[in-house]
Amino acid sequence: MSDSCCSQSEAPRVLAEATAAVCRRSESGFRRRLAAAVGARRQLRVIPVPHLPGTTKMANQEAAEIQISELDLLSSMFPYEEEFAVTDQLALAELKHYVENESAEVPSSKVQFILNIKTEVPNASTVEFSISCALPFKYPSVLPEITVRSSLLSRSQQILLNSDLKTYLMQNFSGEPCILSAREWVKDHAAAYIDKDLSSFSMAASDATKSEVTTFTRLWIYSHHIYNKQKRKNIIDWAKELSLSGFCMPGKPGVVCVEGLQSSCEEFWSRIKRLTWKRILIRHREDVSLEGGGHAEIQKQRKFPTLEEKCFDAHGARGNHMDLGQLYNFLEEKGCADIFQMYFGVEGHSRG
C-alpha cells in the first residue's frame, strides 16, 4: 500500500475531520469541505486502486467520487427526509458500486433527489419550494438537471424561475459542484417570482411551453409488505387522480409500478412515502424525454393501460405471499422482465 493511503485505524479520523463543519448551512466553505471529503474518500480505500487506462475512465471515476461526496455532505447538512431525499436508491447504489471499483460498467441511471425549501414571502406567509435534481454521469463537468416547483407559481412564473436559475448556474459554476449554490439561489430569489407581473413575458413563456421537453417517468417501488386495505385503496385512487397507469401487487413483498408524467409520478411518490411503512423505496426509475410530447406520445410510452391491483395465486399461512413465477410471466408480457432481477436479485424464468 502506498504512503498516500491512510491505515484503517486512521481512516475514520480523516473522514471526521473532512466533514466536521458540515452542519453549518451557509454556502461559505462548502467547496473546500467538498474537496476535503473527496480526498478523505480516496484515502479510505484500503485496497490500492488499479490503474485506469485512458483519461476518460479516470475523469468518470473522479466525477462519480465528487457526486457521492456532495450527496454525503447534503445528507449531513439536511438530515430530515422532508428537507433532502434521494428518490432513486438503485441509481445511488450503482454509483457507489462504480466508485468502489467493484464495477467497470458506467451506471445506467442518473442519481435523482429532491431538496425542499421553506421561505417567507412579503406578507409573512411561508411558501415551500421543491427542487428536483438529477445528476448526469459527467456532472459536474456538465450542469445538473434541476426543476423548481411550487403550488403558488403559475406556469409562466415557473418557466422564468427555472430559466433564470439555469442562467445563473451556467455563468457561475461551469464544471464545479453547484447543488448547494442552486439551493441558496432558490432560497434567496424564488419567492420574488410568485408576485412577478409577467405580461411582457407571456409571449416568450408561451413559446417556451410549446418547445418544453415533456418527461415520461416509470417508478418501480418496493415495499416490505402491503397489507392495509386503506393503503391499497389510496394507491389505486391516487393513481387514477394523477392519470397514472401501472399495477400494485399486495402481500409480502409489495410491488408498485406507476407510469405517466414525471410531475404526476413525483406527486404520487411524495404521498405514498408519507404513509407509515416498515420499509419502502424506489427500486428503479425510468425517464424518457419527449420533445413537445403530447397525449399521444405519452400514451405510446405506457406499458399498462390503467393501474390495477394484481394478485398472483396468493398462498402462505396468511395468504400474503404471491407466486413470483406468475409475476415474472406478467412482467415478461409487458416487456419488463429485467425488472424482476432488480427486485429479487435472481433471474426469473417463464412458466409454460
Side-chain angles (χ1 to χ4, degrees):
M1 187 180 300
S2 66
D3 294 338
S4 63
C5 291
C6 67
S7 68
Q8 285 182 323
S9 61
E10 292 174 327
R13 174 184 59 77
V14 173
L15 187 58
E17 291 176 354
T19 58
V22 78
C23 289
R24 294 196 299 269
R25 300 195 175 193
S26 65
E27 186 176 349
S28 175
F30 176 73
R31 294 178 198 171
R32 174 181 57 77
R33 297 199 301 277
L34 179 58
V38 172
R41 179 176 292 280
R42 289 171 178 167
Q43 287 183 315
L44 281 169
R45 297 177 187 159
V46 297
I47 299 175
V49 179
H51 175 65
L52 300 176
T55 57
T56 300
K57 193 167 186 179
M58 294 174 67
N60 287 346
Q61 185 78 19
E62 183 175 359
E65 287 178 346
I66 291 173
Q67 289 188 31
I68 293 295
S69 297
E70 188 171 20
L71 289 166
D72 285 347
L73 287 172
L74 289 169
S75 180
S76 297
M77 296 174 75
F78 310 107
Y80 301 107
E81 190 173 356
E82 58 265 27
E83 293 179 300
F84 169 73
V86 175
T87 55
D88 190 341
Q89 293 292 338
L90 182 62
L92 179 58
E94 285 183 349
L95 188 66
K96 289 182 176 179
H97 195 63
Y98 180 82
V99 167
E100 292 163 1
N101 289 300
E102 296 179 12
S103 172
E105 295 184 10
V106 172
S108 58
S109 302
K110 302 171 187 175
V111 176
Q112 308 200 38
F113 56 93
I114 294 176
L115 286 162
N116 292 315
I117 300 173
K118 290 183 179 179
T119 186
E120 291 188 356
V121 292
N123 63 7
S125 62
T126 301
V127 180
E128 182 170 317
F129 292 91
S130 176
I131 308 173
S132 299
C133 306
L135 301 183
F137 184 64
K138 293 186 181 298
Y139 170 84
S141 296
V142 299
L143 287 176
E145 299 169 8
I146 299 179
T147 302
V148 183
R149 298 182 177 90
S150 173
S151 59
L152 295 184
L153 287 171
S154 68
R155 184 69 169 167
S156 298
Q157 290 167 340
Q158 181 175 309
I159 292 172
L160 181 58
L161 187 159
N162 283 287
S163 175
D164 289 351
L165 172 58
K166 184 175 182 179
T167 299
Y168 167 74
L169 295 178
M170 289 178 63
Q171 292 176 347
N172 295 280
F173 297 98
S174 179
E176 298 180 18
C178 61
I179 298 300
L180 184 64
S181 299
R183 182 189 182 280
E184 292 296 316
W185 188 93
V186 172
K187 183 177 181 180
D188 293 340
H189 298 90
Y193 286 77
I194 293 175
D195 297 321
K196 275 198 174 184
D197 179 7
L198 299 181
S199 55
S200 61
F201 178 71
S202 58
M203 186 68 73
S206 176
D207 292 340
T209 301
K210 292 177 182 177
S211 62
E212 187 179 7
V213 175
T214 298
T215 301
F216 179 89
T217 295
R218 184 176 296 111
L219 300 181
W220 295 94
I221 300 169
Y222 168 90
S223 174
H224 179 270
H225 63 264
I226 303 176
Y227 299 147
N228 186 280
K229 290 183 179 180
Q230 184 58 50
K231 289 179 182 176
R232 291 159 65 177
K233 184 176 185 299
N234 286 341
I235 289 170
I236 294 173
D237 290 348
W238 289 341
K240 184 176 181 180
E241 174 193 339
L242 297 167
S243 300
L244 298 175
S245 52
F247 74 95
C248 169
M249 185 187 82
K252 181 180 181 182
V255 174
V256 179
C257 172
V258 290
E259 58 181 8
L261 285 176
Q262 184 182 67
S263 58
S264 298
C265 286
E266 290 177 350
E267 173 63 22
F268 178 88
W269 173 242
S270 70
R271 295 183 190 182
I272 287 294
K273 69 181 182 180
R274 291 194 185 107
L275 303 178
T276 302
W277 303 92
K278 182 170 183 178
R279 187 184 184 210
I280 192 167
L281 55 88
I282 295 176
R283 182 68 78 182
H284 184 57
R285 175 177 182 140
E286 302 170 50
D287 289 300
V288 180
S289 296
L290 306 173
E291 290 286 348
H295 179 74
E297 287 78 8
I298 292 171
Q299 293 302 106
K300 287 179 183 178
Q301 294 296 324
R302 294 188 189 272
K303 294 183 180 293
F304 307 92
T306 60
L307 189 140
E308 59 182 353
E309 190 169 276
K310 303 292 291 186
C311 294
F312 302 100
D313 192 17
H315 59 281
R318 297 176 57 185
N320 58 355
H321 292 279
M322 298 296 168
D323 186 321
L324 297 185
Q326 291 185 24
L327 170 63
Y328 178 78
N329 287 343
F330 173 73
L331 292 174
E332 191 176 41
E333 290 173 3
K334 300 297 183 180
C336 309
D338 56 324
I339 295 297
F340 189 89
Q341 187 169 16
M342 293 184 185
Y343 268 99
F344 305 106
V346 295
E347 293 186 5
H349 298 283
S350 298
R351 293 186 177 181

